Amino acid sequence: MFHTQSDVVFIKGLKIEAVIGVFDWERAITQPLLIDIALETDISRAAVSDDVSDALSYKEVCDDVSEWCKEIQAKLLEHLAGQISDKIFAKYDCQKITLSIAKPTAIAQADAVGVQITRYAPASTNELATKEAAKEVNDSQVDDA
């Protein structure tokens, strides 16, 4: 019997100071960003082993995203979100990313403004994950026989 599951590792309210914006004055300062990330990934191995090496490290993701925001120095939140998404897929094993980036000080009358994107892993990553999962199922069925 085939079943599906949806596991998510999430980060909520990651605070980063970075250069962001299109105006000259924005290019000369850092501004606060609030980032939420939901990474759809298979956590079953870590759930069984209780070993951090089998988990997607939210600490490492936070460190990487913080560094990338500071390096990229995007003009647009849209560009920054796309770049972060691409970099996460390149480094981490996840099938889907929902990412929101808010600028809490951009509009005085609003708590925050920003963007939210949802992206899916490139087909080759999904195919590889599917093949690996199928192999594990087959291997476990052989072991049970």
Side-chain angles (χ1 to χ4, degrees), residues 85-110:
S85 173
D86 290 346
K87 289 176 179 294
I88 289 173
F89 279 129
K91 186 167 182 180
Y92 297 98
D93 180 23
C94 57
Q95 294 75 48
K96 178 182 170 186
I97 297 169
T98 300
L99 170 74
S100 66
I101 306 176
K103 284 176 71 174
T105 59
I107 304 293
Q109 301 86 344

mmCIF file of all heavy atoms in Angstrom, residues 85-110:
data_model
loop_
_atom_site.group_PDB
_atom_site.id
_atom_site.type_symbol
_atom_site.label_atom_id
_atom_site.label_comp_id
_atom_site.label_asym_id
_atom_site.label_seq_id
_atom_site.Cartn_x
_atom_site.Cartn_y
_atom_site.Cartn_z
ATOM 1 N N SER A 85 15.240 30.781 -2.079
ATOM 2 C CA SER A 85 14.598 29.518 -2.436
ATOM 3 C C SER A 85 15.537 28.637 -3.261
ATOM 4 O O SER A 85 15.716 27.448 -2.971
ATOM 5 C CB SER A 85 13.304 29.808 -3.206
ATOM 6 O OG SER A 85 12.737 28.629 -3.695
ATOM 7 N N ASP A 86 16.165 29.228 -4.281
ATOM 8 C CA ASP A 86 17.094 28.469 -5.131
ATOM 9 C C ASP A 86 18.251 27.902 -4.313
ATOM 10 O O ASP A 86 18.657 26.753 -4.491
ATOM 11 C CB ASP A 86 17.656 29.354 -6.245
ATOM 12 C CG ASP A 86 16.616 29.728 -7.298
ATOM 13 O OD1 ASP A 86 15.532 29.108 -7.329
ATOM 14 O OD2 ASP A 86 16.901 30.659 -8.075
ATOM 15 N N LYS A 87 18.787 28.708 -3.409
ATOM 16 C CA LYS A 87 19.926 28.280 -2.601
ATOM 17 C C LYS A 87 19.528 27.176 -1.616
ATOM 18 O O LYS A 87 20.303 26.241 -1.380
ATOM 19 C CB LYS A 87 20.535 29.468 -1.868
ATOM 20 C CG LYS A 87 21.276 30.432 -2.796
ATOM 21 C CD LYS A 87 21.783 31.649 -2.040
ATOM 22 C CE LYS A 87 22.535 32.604 -2.928
ATOM 23 N NZ LYS A 87 23.794 32.067 -3.444
ATOM 24 N N ILE A 88 18.334 27.264 -1.063
ATOM 25 C CA ILE A 88 17.878 26.210 -0.147
ATOM 26 C C ILE A 88 17.741 24.891 -0.900
ATOM 27 O O ILE A 88 18.208 23.846 -0.434
ATOM 28 C CB ILE A 88 16.556 26.607 0.548
ATOM 29 C CG1 ILE A 88 16.812 27.717 1.572
ATOM 30 C CG2 ILE A 88 15.925 25.385 1.224
ATOM 31 C CD1 ILE A 88 15.552 28.297 2.193
ATOM 32 N N PHE A 89 17.114 24.925 -2.080
ATOM 33 C CA PHE A 89 16.971 23.685 -2.851
ATOM 34 C C PHE A 89 18.334 23.099 -3.222
ATOM 35 O O PHE A 89 18.504 21.879 -3.254
ATOM 36 C CB PHE A 89 16.148 23.913 -4.122
ATOM 37 C CG PHE A 89 14.665 23.926 -3.889
ATOM 38 C CD1 PHE A 89 13.889 24.968 -4.363
ATOM 39 C CD2 PHE A 89 14.031 22.887 -3.207
ATOM 40 C CE1 PHE A 89 12.516 24.987 -4.158
ATOM 41 C CE2 PHE A 89 12.661 22.899 -2.993
ATOM 42 C CZ PHE A 89 11.900 23.945 -3.476
ATOM 43 N N ALA A 90 19.311 23.961 -3.518
ATOM 44 C CA ALA A 90 20.636 23.478 -3.896
ATOM 45 C C ALA A 90 21.368 22.810 -2.726
ATOM 46 O O ALA A 90 22.173 21.904 -2.931
ATOM 47 C CB ALA A 90 21.474 24.632 -4.449
ATOM 48 N N LYS A 91 21.065 23.234 -1.514
ATOM 49 C CA LYS A 91 21.828 22.740 -0.353
ATOM 50 C C LYS A 91 21.088 21.713 0.504
ATOM 51 O O LYS A 91 21.718 20.848 1.110
ATOM 52 C CB LYS A 91 22.239 23.930 0.522
ATOM 53 C CG LYS A 91 23.147 23.532 1.663
ATOM 54 C CD LYS A 91 23.804 24.697 2.328
ATOM 55 C CE LYS A 91 24.738 24.193 3.433
ATOM 56 N NZ LYS A 91 25.408 25.277 4.120
ATOM 57 N N TYR A 92 19.759 21.812 0.562
ATOM 58 C CA TYR A 92 19.001 20.989 1.505
ATOM 59 C C TYR A 92 18.028 20.062 0.782
ATOM 60 O O TYR A 92 17.528 20.381 -0.287
ATOM 61 C CB TYR A 92 18.234 21.886 2.488
ATOM 62 C CG TYR A 92 19.156 22.722 3.347
ATOM 63 C CD1 TYR A 92 19.431 24.049 3.027
ATOM 64 C CD2 TYR A 92 19.766 22.169 4.460
ATOM 65 C CE1 TYR A 92 20.284 24.807 3.804
ATOM 66 C CE2 TYR A 92 20.622 22.919 5.249
ATOM 67 C CZ TYR A 92 20.885 24.238 4.912
ATOM 68 O OH TYR A 92 21.737 24.987 5.679
ATOM 69 N N ASP A 93 17.763 18.938 1.430
ATOM 70 C CA ASP A 93 16.843 17.946 0.877
ATOM 71 C C ASP A 93 15.410 18.307 1.274
ATOM 72 O O ASP A 93 14.954 17.965 2.363
ATOM 73 C CB ASP A 93 17.209 16.555 1.403
ATOM 74 C CG ASP A 93 16.299 15.472 0.868
ATOM 75 O OD1 ASP A 93 15.687 15.675 -0.199
ATOM 76 O OD2 ASP A 93 16.204 14.409 1.516
ATOM 77 N N CYS A 94 14.744 19.034 0.399
ATOM 78 C CA CYS A 94 13.334 19.355 0.633
ATOM 79 C C CYS A 94 12.615 19.378 -0.705
ATOM 80 O O CYS A 94 13.218 19.581 -1.756
ATOM 81 C CB CYS A 94 13.176 20.674 1.388
ATOM 82 S SG CYS A 94 13.916 22.094 0.614
ATOM 83 N N GLN A 95 11.318 19.147 -0.651
ATOM 84 C CA GLN A 95 10.520 19.053 -1.864
ATOM 85 C C GLN A 95 9.717 20.319 -2.150
ATOM 86 O O GLN A 95 9.323 20.566 -3.278
ATOM 87 C CB GLN A 95 9.540 17.863 -1.777
ATOM 88 C CG GLN A 95 10.225 16.513 -1.737
ATOM 89 C CD GLN A 95 10.865 16.209 -0.398
ATOM 90 O OE1 GLN A 95 10.257 16.363 0.651
ATOM 91 N NE2 GLN A 95 12.119 15.779 -0.426
ATOM 92 N N LYS A 96 9.475 21.100 -1.116
ATOM 93 C CA LYS A 96 8.644 22.292 -1.266
ATOM 94 C C LYS A 96 9.090 23.321 -0.241
ATOM 95 O O LYS A 96 9.416 22.971 0.890
ATOM 96 C CB LYS A 96 7.171 21.927 -1.044
ATOM 97 C CG LYS A 96 6.195 23.057 -1.119
ATOM 98 C CD LYS A 96 4.777 22.543 -0.839
ATOM 99 C CE LYS A 96 3.777 23.642 -0.662
ATOM 100 N NZ LYS A 96 2.466 23.123 -0.262
ATOM 101 N N ILE A 97 9.080 24.580 -0.670
ATOM 102 C CA ILE A 97 9.433 25.676 0.228
ATOM 103 C C ILE A 97 8.328 26.727 0.175
ATOM 104 O O ILE A 97 7.912 27.130 -0.916
ATOM 105 C CB ILE A 97 10.745 26.357 -0.202
ATOM 106 C CG1 ILE A 97 11.914 25.382 -0.122
ATOM 107 C CG2 ILE A 97 11.019 27.605 0.626
ATOM 108 C CD1 ILE A 97 13.186 25.907 -0.769
ATOM 109 N N THR A 98 7.863 27.149 1.329
ATOM 110 C CA THR A 98 7.030 28.341 1.427
ATOM 111 C C THR A 98 7.837 29.331 2.250
ATOM 112 O O THR A 98 8.263 29.026 3.361
ATOM 113 C CB THR A 98 5.673 28.046 2.074
ATOM 114 O OG1 THR A 98 4.995 27.063 1.276
ATOM 115 C CG2 THR A 98 4.812 29.299 2.154
ATOM 116 N N LEU A 99 8.059 30.498 1.658
ATOM 117 C CA LEU A 99 8.953 31.491 2.233
ATOM 118 C C LEU A 99 8.270 32.843 2.208
ATOM 119 O O LEU A 99 7.740 33.259 1.176
ATOM 120 C CB LEU A 99 10.242 31.532 1.388
ATOM 121 C CG LEU A 99 11.243 32.638 1.624
ATOM 122 C CD1 LEU A 99 11.989 32.391 2.929
ATOM 123 C CD2 LEU A 99 12.235 32.704 0.481
ATOM 124 N N SER A 100 8.254 33.520 3.349
ATOM 125 C CA SER A 100 7.748 34.891 3.371
ATOM 126 C C SER A 100 8.827 35.788 3.955
ATOM 127 O O SER A 100 9.546 35.411 4.881
ATOM 128 C CB SER A 100 6.445 35.006 4.159
ATOM 129 O OG SER A 100 6.658 34.732 5.518
ATOM 130 N N ILE A 101 8.941 36.967 3.340
ATOM 131 C CA ILE A 101 9.883 37.967 3.809
ATOM 132 C C ILE A 101 9.107 39.255 4.029
ATOM 133 O O ILE A 101 8.434 39.743 3.117
ATOM 134 C CB ILE A 101 11.020 38.230 2.801
ATOM 135 C CG1 ILE A 101 11.725 36.937 2.417
ATOM 136 C CG2 ILE A 101 12.020 39.242 3.383
ATOM 137 C CD1 ILE A 101 12.792 37.115 1.346
ATOM 138 N N ALA A 102 9.190 39.792 5.229
ATOM 139 C CA ALA A 102 8.477 41.018 5.576
ATOM 140 C C ALA A 102 9.474 42.116 5.924
ATOM 141 O O ALA A 102 10.507 41.859 6.537
ATOM 142 C CB ALA A 102 7.544 40.763 6.764
ATOM 143 N N LYS A 103 9.121 43.344 5.510
ATOM 144 C CA LYS A 103 9.866 44.544 5.917
ATOM 145 C C LYS A 103 8.969 45.288 6.912
ATOM 146 O O LYS A 103 8.044 45.985 6.519
ATOM 147 C CB LYS A 103 10.160 45.435 4.710
ATOM 148 C CG LYS A 103 11.269 44.940 3.810
ATOM 149 C CD LYS A 103 11.464 45.797 2.575
ATOM 150 C CE LYS A 103 12.059 47.143 2.861
ATOM 151 N NZ LYS A 103 12.378 47.904 1.619
ATOM 152 N N PRO A 104 9.219 45.133 8.201
ATOM 153 C CA PRO A 104 8.326 45.724 9.202
ATOM 154 C C PRO A 104 8.406 47.246 9.310
ATOM 155 O O PRO A 104 7.493 47.860 9.853
ATOM 156 C CB PRO A 104 8.757 45.050 10.505
ATOM 157 C CG PRO A 104 10.151 44.612 10.264
ATOM 158 C CD PRO A 104 10.249 44.298 8.798
ATOM 159 N N THR A 105 9.449 47.863 8.778
ATOM 160 C CA THR A 105 9.572 49.321 8.908
ATOM 161 C C THR A 105 9.339 50.056 7.592
ATOM 162 O O THR A 105 9.517 51.274 7.522
ATOM 163 C CB THR A 105 10.970 49.693 9.455
ATOM 164 O OG1 THR A 105 11.972 49.198 8.559
ATOM 165 C CG2 THR A 105 11.181 49.119 10.846
ATOM 166 N N ALA A 106 8.904 49.356 6.557
ATOM 167 C CA ALA A 106 8.778 49.970 5.229
ATOM 168 C C ALA A 106 7.618 50.957 5.125
ATOM 169 O O ALA A 106 7.750 52.013 4.508
ATOM 170 C CB ALA A 106 8.634 48.889 4.162
ATOM 171 N N ILE A 107 6.476 50.628 5.702
ATOM 172 C CA ILE A 107 5.281 51.460 5.613
ATOM 173 C C ILE A 107 4.819 51.760 7.040
ATOM 174 O O ILE A 107 4.454 50.836 7.777
ATOM 175 C CB ILE A 107 4.145 50.752 4.827
ATOM 176 C CG1 ILE A 107 4.615 50.343 3.423
ATOM 177 C CG2 ILE A 107 2.899 51.621 4.770
ATOM 178 C CD1 ILE A 107 4.906 51.487 2.494
ATOM 179 N N ALA A 108 4.828 53.023 7.403
ATOM 180 C CA ALA A 108 4.515 53.408 8.783
ATOM 181 C C ALA A 108 3.123 52.954 9.213
ATOM 182 O O ALA A 108 2.907 52.593 10.372
ATOM 183 C CB ALA A 108 4.648 54.921 8.946
ATOM 184 N N GLN A 109 2.163 52.954 8.303
ATOM 185 C CA GLN A 109 0.782 52.619 8.651
ATOM 186 C C GLN A 109 0.524 51.108 8.712
ATOM 187 O O GLN A 109 -0.577 50.689 9.045
ATOM 188 C CB GLN A 109 -0.191 53.237 7.628
ATOM 189 C CG GLN A 109 -0.110 54.732 7.510
ATOM 190 C CD GLN A 109 0.967 55.205 6.512
ATOM 191 O OE1 GLN A 109 1.844 54.464 6.113
ATOM 192 N NE2 GLN A 109 0.889 56.464 6.138
ATOM 193 N N ALA A 110 1.526 50.297 8.383
ATOM 194 C CA ALA A 110 1.342 48.837 8.358
ATOM 195 C C ALA A 110 2.315 48.165 9.322
ATOM 196 O O ALA A 110 3.432 48.650 9.523
ATOM 197 C CB ALA A 110 1.573 48.309 6.944
#
